[in-house]
Amino acid sequence: MASRADLIEEILTANGGRMRVAEITRALAARENSDTGLLRRNAAVPATVRQDNSTRIKRGQAKRFRSYESSGQGDEERGFVSLVRIQGQISSDGEIGIPEQIQNANLQVREELRKYIAAMSWQDFESAFLSQFLEALGFQEIVITQPTRDGGKDAECTYKVGLVTHEAVVSAKHWNTQTVGLNEVQRVRGISSNADTGIIFTSSKFTEPAIAEAQERKFGQRSIVLIDGNQIVETCVREALGVEPVQLPTLFRFTGIARSDEEELDLEE
């Protein structure tokens, strides 16, 4: 399902890559079958663009929108949003731009990280790596159980939501080809423990029935959190686990210098 940022990108692409916020808002309301006035009052378009750019930058991806920012950090005229690059467009000299080069390099790092995790032994995946991953996410009191293939729990931990401390049991599955199915979700729900949360951590993927089962929680049942291979990689990048950010020099972009109306009149004469 396309996100709101995806819809805004599609609207801009279909209209030359640059539009007024008001025009995008009307088009977005039509696409979402929502109220134009509500989207305008909530500043939906600027907020979505700002959040999308921020998220992509944190992930090491090139941002896709230019927009006005009252802080002075924006790169577009007030009231307008544009695409950083219209789809398929390249620079005048035929070279890939610097943001795209950085994004491509980060995609390569993600692939290297994915291969590295896949090459781990199941013992390392279910012990040292699992412990580091949970710690990076803020879990506490992490206890790794004795590594076995008996299908039991691989870790216990706690986490806080506000002032409330919760307990969780973790099942780790280092599978590179086999997907994690419905039975595993049901098994983790049934593990004997006081934990109110179950976490299934896998280098593979989950089947649709497994995802549906995890989302459906009846009263008194243990909630289930699913973490697949893609989420593991993205979390490692975000939390600098197995990777490290590289500080680059500031990149400047020429914008020109604003002139007063009198100076412009003198030049015209």
Side-chain angles (χ1 to χ4, degrees):
M1 181 179 180
S3 67
R4 178 170 284 176
D6 293 334
L7 293 178
I8 293 174
E9 182 179 29
E10 291 175 8
I11 292 167
L12 284 167
T13 300
N15 291 275
R18 185 173 187 263
M19 297 173 66
R20 290 184 177 277
V21 171
E23 296 171 338
I24 300 172
T25 301
R26 286 193 291 270
L28 182 63
R31 294 287 296 272
E32 293 184 339
N33 194 26
S34 54
D35 180 70
T36 303
L38 179 62
L39 292 180
R40 185 180 295 113
R41 288 193 297 275
N42 292 337
V45 171
T48 300
V49 166
R50 189 179 304 111
Q51 181 61 46
D52 185 73
N53 281 343
S54 175
T55 299
R56 290 173 70 88
I57 289 171
K58 289 178 181 177
R59 290 177 177 173
Q61 298 173 314
K63 70 176 189 177
R64 50 179 165 176
F65 301 113
R66 291 194 180 98
S67 63
Y68 171 81
E69 295 292 340
S70 58
S71 63
Q73 300 300 313
D75 47 12
E76 204 12 306
E77 182 182 348
R78 187 185 186 95
F80 284 86
V81 171
S82 60
L83 294 175
V84 170
R85 172 172 294 177
I86 299 175
Q87 191 171 7
Q89 178 182 335
I90 59 176
S91 60
S92 58
D93 57 6
E95 296 293 329
I96 299 176
I98 291 175
E100 288 78 9
Q101 292 181 47
I102 294 174
Q103 176 171 301
N104 290 341
N106 287 330
L107 288 174
Q108 181 61 38
V109 168
R110 281 174 167 81
E111 188 58 30
E112 291 175 8
L113 184 58
R114 195 183 308 278
K115 291 178 179 178
Y116 184 86
I117 293 170
M120 284 182 182
S121 68
W122 66 268
Q123 294 93 335
D124 286 341
F125 183 84
E126 295 181 8
S127 55
F129 180 58
L130 175 58
S131 179
Q132 292 177 63
F133 188 90
L134 292 173
E135 185 176 345
L137 286 180
F139 287 90
Q140 302 170 341
E141 301 178 27
I142 301 166
V143 177
I144 302 297
T145 61
Q146 186 68 27
T148 65
R149 289 188 179 274
D150 63 2
K153 58 188 176 186
D154 297 296
E156 296 176 328
C157 55
T158 63
Y159 65 97
K160 281 191 172 183
V161 177
L163 298 176
V164 181
T165 299
H166 297 265
E167 296 181 13
V169 290
V170 185
S171 171
K173 299 294 179 185
H174 189 27
W175 296 346
N176 293 322
T177 55
Q178 183 181 353
T179 54
V180 180
L182 169 66
N183 290 344
E184 178 63 14
V185 177
Q186 294 174 333
R187 188 192 68 77
V188 172
R189 271 218 171 103
I191 290 177
S192 178
S193 170
N194 292 327
D196 55 10
T197 304
I199 301 171
I200 306 177
F201 177 77
T202 181
S203 52
S204 181
K205 297 179 180 179
F206 296 95
T207 64
E208 290 298 327
I211 295 172
E213 176 68 19
Q215 291 174 341
E216 183 178 349
R217 181 190 178 191
K218 297 178 182 177
F219 179 76
Q221 278 189 331
R222 177 177 293 149
S223 64
I224 301 295
V225 176
L226 305 181
I227 303 176
D228 65 14
N230 289 332
Q231 291 171 302
I232 290 174
V233 169
E234 289 303 320
T235 301
C236 285
V237 171
R238 185 179 69 246
E239 302 297 333
L241 180 59
V243 302
E244 62 179 7
V246 178
Q247 296 298 322
L248 298 175
T250 301
L251 175 66
F252 294 95
R253 181 176 64 88
F254 177 74
T255 59
I257 300 173
R259 296 175 297 183
S260 67
D261 292 340
E262 291 184 0
E263 289 176 331
E264 290 178 354
L265 288 173
D266 290 340
L267 289 173
E268 290 174 359
E269 292 175 356

